[in-house]
Each structure stands twice: as C-alpha cells, then as structure tokens.
Amino acid sequence: MLSLRLTSFTHLLSPPSSAAIARRSRAILRRRHHLRQRPLAASFSAQSATAETQDRVNNSKNRVPEQVITPRSQDFNAWYLDVIANAELADYGPVRGTMVIRPYGYAIWEAIQEYLNVKFKETGHSNMYFPQFIPYSFIEKEASHVEGFSPELALVTIGGGKELEEKLVVRPTSETIVNHMFTQWIHSYRDLPLLINQWANVTRWEMRTKPFVRTLEFLWQEGHTAHATPEEAEDEAIQMIDIYTRFAYEQAAIPVITGRKSKVETFAGACKTYTIEAMMGDKKALQAGTSHNLGQNFSRAFGTQFTDENGVREHIWQTSWAISTRFVGGIIMTHGDDAGLMLPPKIAPIQVVIVPIWKKDDEKAAVLNAALTVKDVLQKSGIRVKLDDSDQRTPGWKFNFWEMKGVPLRIEIGPRDVASGSVVISRRDIPGKQGKVFGISMEPSNLEAYVKDKLDEIQSSLLERAIAFRDSNIVDVSTYSDLKAAISEGKWARGPWSASDEDELKVKEETGATIRCFPFEQPQGIKTCLMTGNPAEEVAIFAKSY
Amino acid sequence: MLSLRLTSFTHLLSPPSSAAIARRSRAILRRRHHLRQRPLAASFSAQSATAETQDRVNNSKNRVPEQVITPRSQDFNAWYLDVIANAELADYGPVRGTMVIRPYGYAIWEAIQEYLNVKFKETGHSNMYFPQFIPYSFIEKEASHVEGFSPELALVTIGGGKELEEKLVVRPTSETIVNHMFTQWIHSYRDLPLLINQWANVTRWEMRTKPFVRTLEFLWQEGHTAHATPEEAEDEAIQMIDIYTRFAYEQAAIPVITGRKSKVETFAGACKTYTIEAMMGDKKALQAGTSHNLGQNFSRAFGTQFTDENGVREHIWQTSWAISTRFVGGIIMTHGDDAGLMLPPKIAPIQVVIVPIWKKDDEKAAVLNAALTVKDVLQKSGIRVKLDDSDQRTPGWKFNFWEMKGVPLRIEIGPRDVASGSVVISRRDIPGKQGKVFGISMEPSNLEAYVKDKLDEIQSSLLERAIAFRDSNIVDVSTYSDLKAAISEGKWARGPWSASDEDELKVKEETGATIRCFPFEQPQGIKTCLMTGNPAEEVAIFAKSY
C-alpha cells in the first residue's frame, strides 16, 4: 500500500531517488485519472493504480524526468498538473479542493511577498492582522457583498464542543471586519488616510478547483485603506494596481494588461475594480491581481464616518486590493514549456545550478573543488545558487531534472574545464546547444559579471517572448462575428464596447468569453460598439479565462 | 454613539489627537469593565460607559498619556490591558476571544519572525504551507492528541451552503495533517531528515482569553521534522529549544529558564516537551515556546514509515516546535513599567525617536533642519528612527507618549543644541535626569557610534535587570511546606522532585502552581524529593502561570 503512495520528498534542493521518480509518474497518472473523474480527490487509494500505471512504473526507472511530463501542446491542463507534481510545487490536501504548498512552490510565493511587502511599506502601508472568524451578520450588511460571497462560505457552527449562537464565517475576504474596526478607529480627518495590509489565508468554497489557480483555501495579501475624499481613494486604487503591474512585468516577466473591469465583473461591493489580466500558455486569461475602489459602499453599511475639517460627519472612502498564491499558477502557465517549469531569474528560488562532471575517481576531487569555489563566488555576490554534487545521478539526469525545475542558468564543470580554468553555461530559456556557451573564465569578477548579465538577459528575454506571444494572440475586432471567430480560435478579442450588461452576458453564454477589462491603454480615434453599432468610448478585451 | 467608540487610529508612527486620548481612557475603562464581567466582550456598547467613565473622560484632556495607564503595582492585569490599548498593540475582534493585532504590535511580531525565519533556514528548514482544514477523523487517530485538543476545537460543518459529510477541524496545530502528507512523501532513509516549518494562524477555542497570551486565534510558526533515528529527533528537539532560548536572551532580553516538562505537562501526543519559561513582572510564569520530541506517536497512528538502510520498514521519529504571538505578551509583561511599554532595542519597531523643541517660530526651521539631519544620519546607519515633528503636541507630551510606546532612546534637539552642534539623549530604561545625557555631538560618526553603543547598553541592561528580578524571585525549597510558602509569596519554587503525577496534581490543587520544567541547568549534589523524601535526580521549578 505505502509503496503506491505519492512522490518522494527529501528537501527543497535535493533531487529525488529513482524510486521517487517512478512513484512520481504513477502519482501523476493517478492524479490525472482522479482529476478527470472527480477533481481533487480527497484521498489517493492504491486501487486507482491501473494496469497501465503499473506498466509505466516498471518502465520509468530508465527515464529522464521530463518524459513523465505530458507535452504542453498535447494537454495543457495535464501538463500543468504534471509540472506542479514533478517540480514539487504543491500537493493535494486531504480535504477536497485544498492544497499543500511545498517548499519549492512556497519559495516562489516568498519571492512575491518579499518584493510586494517592501513596495507596500514604501507607499506608507503598515502590516497588521485581523481575525479570520467573522460574525455571519457582518457579511449580510453590504447587499452585493453577501450576494457575491454567500454561496462560497465555510461556516464554523461548533466551538469548544458547543453549538454557537451565531455562526462564524471563515474569512473569504476581510472588508466587513475591517470596516467594523475602522468604525472604532476613525473619528476625524486627522485619522485619515489609514493604510493597512495583511498577509493571510482566506477560504472560498469553490466547486471547481485547480492547484494555485482556484483552491478552497489560499494565501494572499489584502490591503485596506480609508480616505477622506473619493479622489484620494481613486488615486490609491490606481497606485496599487500600478504596483501589481510593475511587479508582473519586472519581477514575474508577465506582460499583464491592466484595466478596469466591466460592471458585471466588478468585485462584490466595489464601485470600480481594476485588474491585471495575464495570458497563459493556452491563451486563457488569468485575473492575476485586483484593486478595488470601494467608494462608500462599506462605510455606509457599517456606519464608518469621520468628522471633516469643517466639522461635518462624512462616510469614509475606501479601497481594497489583493494578490494571491494564484500568481504562482500564472508564472507556471506563462513561462513553462514541454521540459517543465521555467522561472524568471528574479523570482527563481534557485537562479543557478552547478553540475560537476567527472568520470574517473581521480577527477572528482578537482572538479568538486572547482565547483565549490564557483558556488562560493556566486553566493557571495548575492546569487541564489545550488551545487548538485550528488553521485547517485548522472550529469544528464541532473540537467533534465533542474531544467524541469525551471532553474534559469546551469553551470557545468568537468575535468577539462578545471584544467582551462573555465566553465560551461547553459540557459534554460534557449534549449540545446544554442543556449550553451563554453569557456567562460572562472575568474571571480568575470564569472560574477557574466552570470548576472545572463540572468538579466533571461529575465528580459522571458518578458519579450511573453509579450510577443500575447500580442500575436490578441485580435482587433469590430463586429460580434469577428469576436466569435477570434474566441473560437482560442484568442483574445479586443473591440469597442458600449453595449448593455445583458449583451455582455449574451457574449459569455454564446462564446464562453467575458470582458477581462477595459484596458488603460486605449487606441485613438472614433469607436463604434462591436455589438450595437452605437458610439463607444473604449475598447474592451474579451477572452475565456480561468 | 460613534464618539463613544474605541481609540483613534491614524498610523503606526503618529501620535493621536487629544480627542483620541480621551476616547482611549474611556475605552480602557470600558474594556476593563467588560473584562471583569465577561472577558473579551463581543461588542462594545455605549451603554457600558458608566458615570465614572464619563468623569474620567471629561478630565482626561489635560492629562499626559501615562496617567491613563493603571500603575503596574496596583493591578498588573489592568496595567497590561492599558498598555496594549494605549500603545496601540492590539484591539478586540468582534468574536469573543479574538484579537486584532494593530501595526505597532504586528511590527514586534515581524521582528520575531525575521530573526527566527533566518535561524530556521540556517539550520536547514524550508517553509511551506499546509491547509488549515483537517478532517475530524485525523484528530481522533492519536489518542492523547484527541484528548488534549478536542475540547478546544472550532468545527466547520457547512461549506458552500451545504452540510458537510465530515466536519472539518480548523487547525489547532498541524501534527495530524503533516503526518498524513509525510506518509505520502517519505519512503526511504534517503528522504530523511525532512525539515519543514510553516508560519500560520491556529485556532483553539479557549474560554479564558487575554490579548496575546491566550486568544481564540493566534499566529505562530510550527516546525515539523521527520528523522530516521530517535537520537536525531532528540537532537533536533534540543537544537530548536536552544534557538528559542538564544532568541529570548539575545533579542527579547527575556532570561527564560529552559528545561523539560513533567509528564503531566507534556504536549498532547509528545514523548518529551522542552520549554522556555519566562518570569513576568507579576512573577507568574509564561510558557514562551516549546519543542516536542514526538517519538513515533504520530507515525504509528498515521502509518508513516520508511525503509531503512537494511531494507527494513520502520516508523519515522518526529519533532514539532512552536513560538507564537504570545511571545509579544511576554515582552510586554517582562519589561514594561508604570510609564508603559519598554522594548528591547533589537525588537523595537522604533529604536530612536527624535523630538525637536522650539518656542519661537524663528527657531523652528533651524531645529527641524537639525532634527532631519540627525534622522538621516541614523537611518542610513540602519537604525530604526522616527522624527516626531508634529506641532499639535508639546515636547513634554511627546516625551511621555513615546515612553509609553516603549521606544528605547529619545533624542531631544532645541535651539541651544543646534547652536552648540549637539543633542540631548534620554534612555527609556533609566527614568528622569539619570538617564539623560547632554551635549552629545551631532557629528555623524560620533552620533552614530554613541547611539549604537547606547542601544547595546540598553539591550544588555534590560536583560541584566530581568535576570536579577528572576533570580531574586526563585526560592530553593527542600520541603513541601517551603514550596507552599514560596508560592504563596508569589515566587517560583525550585526543589528536588521525584514524586508521582498524583503528587504533582496535588501541588497544583493546593497551591495553584504547576511544574514549569525540570531545568537543563541542574545543581550538583545529592537530592531528596521535597514531597516524598525519596532520592531525586533533578530539581523542578514550580510556579503559577499564565
């Protein structure tokens, strides 16, 4: 029984044993099997290992890791789940729809946190923590909020062995409890603006789940701010979506399209929702971060008022904004390829892997010694580097393994390199010989500069490639039939839109696509609504989405 | 109604308005009122403001901040709650027993996190994240674990509008779900040791709550490790309690006593529990961190096995260890005094506050200019510094306010200081003129060195003072009547112990004290059990505790 369980786990940076690879391929098959029949099965039973699985297991010892990953072009969803399993990013929790974030996946989340946490503080926000249990009555106070969230709530009804008088909501988001506290803290204009953020877990009882992208519980940051004027709230909402946009482009190399949501797609309780929309490798859109101008919706519901400079009582103006572990899914689905994960250097837990190569025992010491020196040099200059000196695996196996894990650069050191005082460097983003450069001098200042330069190049190159992919898959449309054609080809459609909510819902029903946003960047010139032929002020982007 | 609500909130570093101070004193009284009648009231109603409260409110405008804090010697608990409210460390959540951690309190928690997170990684642990919902059946698998935790569970019974088939436990701790996953990840000795940690919220349905010390939901880190041998697990448990001990001494200036829990006090599911026990200002003990050697208790319950080097299947050996937001309560209750909070420099969110002093308008520019220069100098050298340049408050008011917030050092700059190119520096830990030094040169390298030196001195001095306090309040006892006498004086009793669990429970019943630990540091010589007169191998420490 036990030997049929899931993939091996040693340490964030250790390659698994061959038995682990065998188990992994089994596990992947079993998972896929489960996913097709009942998504995110609550438990994995040995019975689900079919005869076909057993065959694959028996054959898998000789395989290199990438062979257990379904080709991306063949089945994008299967590829995605295979990458998550093989690169040890996450695993399924015992409760349907929950996810265990494993060290390598969590390290990507930590990189996201580190960057954003600094930006939030630089822009005057303080971290704090609100309780996750919210009285049910709070959720009911804001009409559209309760409508949006009540189908997704997890409710605590028993505490300390007793039925509770009022059931408690496990936070799906914190606007209500935040407003309850703001009402106690805010009195006069001198108390504003109030700018806070929390890093927390949230729970939404989703029926169709997918690791990172949509899970029953996920991790996020949620910013909440209170202002004296609607202009300040609007500026804040824009400032934060700008920070998310810069993060996406500069750190994650994801060329999101930033814009405003349609009324239909606006957050439950917001006046305006700004969003960053990313195009995944299958051309579906991923909403990767949102910033809401909440207006006075929550302050009116909760009576959150302040005395302005003229002594008049006014309701505060608010924003909220969030990025979640979903972003990790966005990184996987933007950059990954058939070989597995491909990580932008700035957020890669390991930026450089060193693979020492020796055949004879008398070569080993010199090679390992040189590898260690190179590791030290790079580590000291702030590069996140891993030396894979295990002797249980061949260099070829290691190459494939670390490519599958998405490490941006690989340094190879063999006896001839030691003799010539140089190394071989391979880029993850350029496969085969084209991405390989021989004879880079080991001399510390040279090597450090070369590696940093290459990491920058890879970072830019991933972004450029993603921009090209995005732009080649957005079609400008001027009629509904153009739109339908573009969507049916799996592309994004961009066209002028001033039609009704009903028309928007009709598009969704007939094509499966929704308005992802009215992008901030708008084409010049006169626009005519693709649906009605009426004048339109803006183009909208339509796409199928996660 | 609204004007009777709780204390003002502007920003982590801004002093509140006079109205806020007035509201604060009201709020504190009302809270205390609530706390005595029903701890941590679910909501604060205007009705609870008594006539006495109203009087105090009316008088409070002329008061300086420390006067609204109950003297520590008069009522330690009231003092503690006053400090938390006045220093804006935390507030009550809407659900009984929950706490909102406010920015200033959260910043202390972040300082704890930053230190420990580095130490955990240095010792080979990786962060990850487990779901917080645990199937109820998991909790039942380990017999003593279910006995220990089932009275305190919060249960989710409804998800997405439907009654769940199996109720879900909101994690009180994660040993069960961790073992469920370990069983899938661990196969052979090559997968060991497995060393992980998570930063998370946990829920325990406590009946008697107190901010930071015991709340229904709290934040913590929980480490979980798996090993191939009992010796390795024991070494790990000891290594982690050592890290906690060093943190307590070196960062928090809390001279904890480290030792082993008695069987009665051992964690539900552990073989051995190691603990750091801190003496609070009222001489009660606070268990400030624990590290458990879990043996094979959970691996047997969950069937977590590995194949050893000889091909034999064995159950893994485990540890778990945790420090929580309770530690913030420990810092408050160790160092605080009648003037409020007193923070050790290493974990103080603000290490130095600069208070500029001017009377005439023509002095203001020069003073502020000098203050800004000093701020820049200190900030650049990595010191956490705040310039309080508001002109709504007098310097005297500011002195009291920042003392109440526990800022270790204050720099005063007036016109005469500007003229002489010097500043006045006051220590938070030495009240009045004794802690004040005049004529410290503003010259950058001199000032930076002086301030760093003083911060180190304060850090050491807080620790020394706490050690002296601790040692003068531990009584060596050799008989049960000695023990009773020491406990009735509010002290800790240390004496040889080899008596039964029943005797231990008898001591608890008769004196209110429990065995806090068998300290690692043991006196030499022959020992005789204080209760039975039988030979004893160790002394135990008895105390009343939080």
Side-chain angles (χ1 to χ4, degrees):
Chain A
M1 288 285 284
L2 275 173
S3 64
L4 285 165
R5 296 281 180 115
L6 289 193
T7 177
S8 165
F9 184 135
T10 43
H11 181 272
L12 174 56
L13 306 178
S14 315
S17 58
S18 62
I21 293 293
R23 279 190 305 271
R24 176 174 296 138
S25 65
R26 254 172 330 193
I28 292 155
L29 282 178
R30 197 156 63 245
R31 274 170 200 204
R32 220 173 298 148
H33 178 72
H34 273 286
L35 276 162
R36 279 163 195 163
Q37 297 198 356
R38 35 175 190 138
L40 288 162
S43 66
F44 304 99
S45 69
Q47 284 72 18
S48 65
T50 60
E52 181 208 45
T53 315
Q54 289 298 342
D55 283 352
R56 186 150 174 189
V57 169
N58 297 334
N59 290 333
S60 68
K61 288 198 181 169
N62 302 318
R63 295 185 183 195
V64 287
E66 89 269 34
Q67 290 181 301
V68 300
I69 294 179
T70 308
R72 213 181 80 143
S73 50
Q74 184 185 309
D75 182 340
F76 193 81
N77 183 55
W79 166 84
Y80 178 71
L81 297 175
D82 284 355
V83 169
I84 287 174
N86 279 273
E88 297 181 328
L89 298 170
D91 216 328
Y92 294 82
V95 174
R96 180 201 70 82
T98 63
M99 167 178 71
V100 180
I101 307 178
R102 301 183 70 177
Y104 199 63
Y106 197 84
I108 298 173
W109 178 237
E110 284 179 314
I112 295 172
Q113 289 187 298
E114 274 164 33
Y115 175 92
L116 290 178
N117 206 38
V118 169
K119 295 292 166 200
F120 296 160
K121 290 186 179 183
E122 279 174 5
T123 45
H125 305 86
S126 300
N127 285 333
M128 62 181 301
Y129 188 75
F130 290 88
Q132 76 163 341
F133 291 157
I134 300 174
Y136 189 80
S137 58
F138 280 27
I139 302 287
E140 293 174 313
K141 286 195 185 182
E142 209 286 330
S144 62
H145 196 66
V146 65
E147 198 189 314
F149 281 102
S150 60
E152 297 183 355
L153 299 178
L155 301 177
V156 172
T157 62
I158 298 171
K162 286 189 188 144
E163 194 83 25
L164 302 179
E165 279 176 36
E166 180 176 13
K167 47 190 188 289
L168 303 177
V169 174
V170 185
R171 81 178 143 230
T173 181
S174 300
E175 280 76 7
T176 59
I177 194 167
V178 164
N179 264 81
H180 175 78
M181 299 312 296
F182 276 11
T183 302
Q184 298 174 26
W185 295 330
I186 296 170
H187 303 277
S188 98
Y189 67 94
R190 285 186 214 89
D191 301 327
L192 299 173
L194 200 170
L195 311 170
I196 60 102
N197 176 63
Q198 78 172 354
W199 294 94
N201 56 342
V202 271
T203 298
R204 296 181 186 174
W205 209 268
E206 303 277 3
M207 293 319 291
R208 296 178 57 201
T209 57
K210 188 184 179 82
F212 291 113
V213 170
R214 184 172 283 109
T215 49
L216 203 137
E217 179 191 5
F218 56 95
L219 303 181
W220 76 353
Q221 59 67 217
E222 48 179 325
H224 295 275
T225 68
H227 306 267
T229 68
E231 293 77 21
E232 275 182 47
E234 179 65 12
D235 288 349
E236 168 79 7
I238 296 285
Q239 170 183 259
M240 300 324 288
I241 204 70
D242 282 351
I243 286 177
Y244 292 160
T245 303
R246 278 206 302 280
F247 167 74
Y249 274 83
E250 294 170 14
Q251 301 291 310
I254 300 182
V256 292
I257 290 187
T258 307
R260 195 185 76 253
K261 284 285 183 193
S262 69
K263 211 173 81 203
V264 170
E265 299 285 333
T266 292
F267 174 73
C271 296
K272 282 185 194 172
T273 290
Y274 299 110
T275 181
I276 52 173
E277 298 286 324
M279 186 185 284
M280 301 294 97
D282 61 353
K283 295 173 244 164
K284 280 170 84 173
L286 185 80
Q287 177 181 304
T290 49
S291 177
H292 313 294
N293 182 338
L294 302 173
Q296 295 179 317
N297 292 342
F298 286 91
S299 63
R300 288 184 185 277
F302 283 82
T304 322
Q305 289 182 294
F306 71 103
T307 305
D308 73 10
E309 299 194 33
N310 306 313
V312 179
R313 298 290 287 167
E314 300 273 9
H315 288 96
I316 59 166
W317 303 85
Q318 291 180 264
T319 81
S320 66
W321 26 276
I323 265 189
S324 76
T325 38
R326 159 177 270 214
F327 210 100
V328 177
I331 291 166
I332 301 166
M333 290 194 285
T334 299
H335 302 299
D337 62 11
D338 283 357
L341 196 59
M342 193 185 309
L343 292 173
K346 287 198 183 165
I347 53 157
I350 303 169
Q351 297 173 308
V352 177
V353 64
I354 303 169
V355 178
I357 303 168
W358 69 88
K359 281 187 183 148
K360 301 171 202 151
D361 268 0
D362 61 343
E363 296 165 348
K364 185 175 170 181
V367 165
L368 280 186
N369 195 36
L372 267 172
T373 307
V374 167
K375 184 189 171 192
D376 279 354
V377 165
L378 297 180
Q379 206 153 39
K380 274 183 193 135
S381 70
I383 293 163
R384 297 186 289 276
V385 59
K386 155 82 188 166
L387 167 59
D388 183 358
D389 57 2
S390 104
D391 43 16
Q392 307 214 356
R393 289 291 170 189
T394 64
W397 190 95
K398 291 178 186 177
F399 292 179
N400 288 320
F401 180 75
W402 294 109
E403 276 175 14
M404 185 270 290
K405 298 269 269 188
V407 176
L409 270 191
R410 177 178 72 235
I411 296 182
E412 306 160 23
I413 306 178
R416 271 198 292 181
D417 302 305
V418 174
S420 66
S422 66
V423 300
V424 179
I425 298 192
S426 290
R427 286 171 64 153
R428 170 66 179 85
D429 63 326
I430 305 178
K433 285 187 179 167
Q434 277 186 300
K436 206 160 186 162
V437 181
F438 294 83
I440 310 297
S441 163
M442 275 188 214
E443 191 276 312
S445 65
N446 176 76
L447 187 67
E448 180 190 331
Y450 186 90
V451 166
K452 286 194 169 170
D453 200 47
K454 280 295 150 210
L455 291 174
D456 286 347
E457 243 180 87
I458 296 171
Q459 183 79 30
S460 307
S461 161
L462 289 189
L463 179 61
E464 278 161 30
R465 192 184 300 185
I467 290 174
F469 179 76
R470 181 196 70 181
D471 291 348
S472 66
N473 286 298
I474 300 180
V475 180
D476 282 306
V477 297
S478 52
T479 66
Y480 186 37
S481 72
D482 286 356
L483 184 150
K484 282 199 265 194
I487 298 298
S488 73
E489 282 172 40
K491 298 194 169 190
W492 292 17
R494 178 172 47 203
W497 185 264
S498 61
S500 65
D501 296 352
E502 288 69 36
D503 282 333
E504 189 180 334
L505 292 169
K506 180 181 138 192
V507 174
K508 185 176 181 179
E509 218 159 88
E510 294 181 354
T511 69
T514 49
I515 295 184
R516 302 318 303 156
C517 67
F518 294 96
F520 286 170
E521 276 186 33
Q522 286 284 332
Q524 298 293 311
I526 295 169
K527 299 175 193 80
T528 309
C529 176
L530 67 91
M531 183 63 88
T532 63
N534 293 331
E537 292 192 354
E538 294 170 293
V539 297
I541 288 180
F542 292 81
K544 290 186 182 173
S545 71
Y546 280 100
Chain B
M1 287 287 283
L2 275 173
S3 64
L4 285 165
R5 296 281 179 115
L6 290 192
T7 177
S8 165
F9 184 134
T10 43
H11 181 272
L12 172 56
L13 306 178
S14 315
S17 59
S18 62
I21 293 292
R23 279 191 304 272
R24 177 174 294 139
S25 65
R26 253 173 331 194
I28 291 153
L29 282 177
R30 196 156 64 247
R31 273 170 200 203
R32 218 175 296 147
H33 177 73
H34 273 286
L35 276 162
R36 278 163 195 163
Q37 297 197 358
R38 37 174 188 139
L40 288 161
S43 65
F44 303 101
S45 68
Q47 284 71 20
S48 65
T50 61
E52 180 207 47
T53 315
Q54 290 298 342
D55 284 352
R56 186 151 173 187
V57 168
N58 296 336
N59 290 333
S60 68
K61 289 197 179 169
N62 302 318
R63 295 182 184 195
V64 287
E66 88 270 33
Q67 291 180 301
V68 301
I69 294 178
T70 308
R72 212 180 81 143
S73 51
Q74 186 186 308
D75 182 340
F76 193 83
N77 184 54
W79 167 85
Y80 178 71
L81 297 175
D82 284 354
V83 169
I84 287 174
N86 279 273
E88 298 181 327
L89 298 170
D91 216 329
Y92 295 82
V95 174
R96 181 201 69 82
T98 64
M99 168 179 70
V100 180
I101 307 179
R102 301 184 71 178
Y104 199 63
Y106 197 84
I108 298 173
W109 178 236
E110 285 180 313
I112 295 172
Q113 289 187 297
E114 274 164 31
Y115 175 92
L116 289 178
N117 206 38
V118 169
K119 294 292 166 199
F120 296 160
K121 290 187 178 182
E122 279 174 5
T123 45
H125 304 87
S126 299
N127 285 334
M128 61 181 300
Y129 187 76
F130 291 88
Q132 76 165 340
F133 291 157
I134 300 174
Y136 190 80
S137 58
F138 281 26
I139 303 287
E140 292 174 312
K141 285 194 185 183
E142 209 286 330
S144 61
H145 196 66
V146 64
E147 197 188 315
F149 280 101
S150 60
E152 296 182 357
L153 300 178
L155 301 178
V156 172
T157 62
I158 298 171
K162 288 190 187 143
E163 194 84 26
L164 302 179
E165 279 176 35
E166 179 175 13
K167 47 188 187 290
L168 302 177
V169 174
V170 185
R171 80 179 141 229
T173 181
S174 300
E175 278 77 8
T176 59
I177 194 167
V178 164
N179 265 81
H180 175 78
M181 300 312 297
F182 276 13
T183 302
Q184 298 174 25
W185 294 331
I186 296 171
H187 303 276
S188 96
Y189 68 94
R190 286 186 214 90
D191 301 325
L192 300 174
L194 200 172
L195 311 170
I196 60 102
N197 177 62
Q198 78 173 354
W199 294 94
N201 57 341
V202 272
T203 298
R204 297 181 185 174
W205 208 267
E206 303 277 3
M207 293 319 291
R208 297 177 58 201
T209 57
K210 188 186 179 83
F212 291 112
V213 170
R214 184 172 283 110
T215 49
L216 203 139
E217 179 191 4
F218 56 95
L219 303 180
W220 78 352
Q221 58 68 217
E222 49 179 324
H224 295 275
T225 69
H227 306 268
T229 67
E231 293 77 20
E232 275 181 49
E234 178 66 11
D235 288 350
E236 168 79 7
I238 294 285
Q239 169 182 261
M240 300 324 288
I241 203 71
D242 282 351
I243 285 177
Y244 291 159
T245 303
R246 279 206 302 280
F247 168 73
Y249 273 83
E250 293 170 16
Q251 302 291 310
I254 300 182
V256 293
I257 291 187
T258 307
R260 195 185 77 254
K261 285 284 182 193
S262 69
K263 211 173 80 202
V264 170
E265 299 285 333
T266 292
F267 174 73
C271 296
K272 282 186 195 172
T273 289
Y274 299 109
T275 181
I276 52 174
E277 298 285 325
M279 186 185 284
M280 301 294 97
D282 61 353
K283 294 172 243 164
K284 280 170 84 172
L286 185 80
Q287 177 180 304
T290 48
S291 177
H292 313 295
N293 182 336
L294 303 174
Q296 295 179 317
N297 292 342
F298 286 90
S299 63
R300 287 184 185 278
F302 282 81
T304 323
Q305 289 182 295
F306 71 103
T307 306
D308 73 10
E309 300 194 33
N310 306 314
V312 179
R313 296 291 288 167
E314 300 272 9
H315 288 97
I316 58 166
W317 303 85
Q318 289 179 267
T319 80
S320 67
W321 27 276
I323 264 187
S324 75
T325 38
R326 159 177 270 214
F327 210 100
V328 177
I331 290 166
I332 302 167
M333 290 194 285
T334 299
H335 302 298
D337 63 12
D338 284 356
L341 195 58
M342 193 185 309
L343 291 173
K346 288 197 182 166
I347 54 158
I350 303 169
Q351 296 173 308
V352 178
V353 64
I354 303 169
V355 179
I357 303 167
W358 69 88
K359 281 187 183 150
K360 301 170 202 153
D361 268 0
D362 61 342
E363 297 164 348
K364 185 176 170 180
V367 165
L368 280 186
N369 195 35
L372 267 172
T373 308
V374 166
K375 184 191 169 190
D376 281 353
V377 165
L378 297 181
Q379 207 153 38
K380 274 185 192 132
S381 71
I383 293 163
R384 296 186 289 275
V385 59
K386 155 83 188 166
L387 167 60
D388 182 356
D389 57 2
S390 104
D391 43 17
Q392 306 214 359
R393 288 293 171 189
T394 64
W397 189 96
K398 291 177 186 176
F399 292 0
N400 288 319
F401 179 76
W402 294 109
E403 276 176 13
M404 184 269 291
K405 297 269 269 189
V407 176
L409 269 191
R410 178 178 72 236
I411 295 183
E412 306 159 22
I413 307 178
R416 272 198 291 182
D417 302 305
V418 173
S420 65
S422 66
V423 298
V424 179
I425 297 193
S426 291
R427 286 171 64 153
R428 171 66 180 87
D429 63 325
I430 306 178
K433 286 188 178 167
Q434 277 187 299
K436 206 160 186 161
V437 181
F438 295 84
I440 309 298
S441 163
M442 273 188 215
E443 191 275 313
S445 65
N446 176 75
L447 186 66
E448 180 191 331
Y450 186 90
V451 166
K452 286 194 168 169
D453 200 48
K454 280 295 148 206
L455 290 174
D456 286 348
E457 242 180 270
I458 296 170
Q459 183 78 30
S460 306
S461 162
L462 289 189
L463 179 61
E464 278 160 29
R465 192 185 300 184
I467 290 173
F469 178 77
R470 179 196 72 182
D471 291 348
S472 66
N473 286 298
I474 301 180
V475 180
D476 282 305
V477 297
S478 52
T479 66
Y480 185 36
S481 72
D482 286 357
L483 183 150
K484 282 198 266 195
I487 298 299
S488 73
E489 283 171 41
K491 299 193 169 190
W492 291 16
R494 178 172 48 204
W497 184 265
S498 61
S500 64
D501 296 351
E502 289 69 35
D503 281 333
E504 189 179 335
L505 292 169
K506 180 181 140 191
V507 174
K508 185 176 182 179
E509 216 159 274
E510 294 182 355
T511 69
T514 49
I515 295 184
R516 302 318 302 158
C517 68
F518 294 95
F520 287 168
E521 275 185 34
Q522 286 284 333
Q524 298 294 311
I526 295 168
K527 299 175 193 78
T528 309
C529 176
L530 68 90
M531 183 63 87
T532 62
N534 293 331
E537 290 192 355
E538 294 169 294
V539 296
I541 287 180
F542 291 81
K544 289 186 183 174
S545 72
Y546 280 100

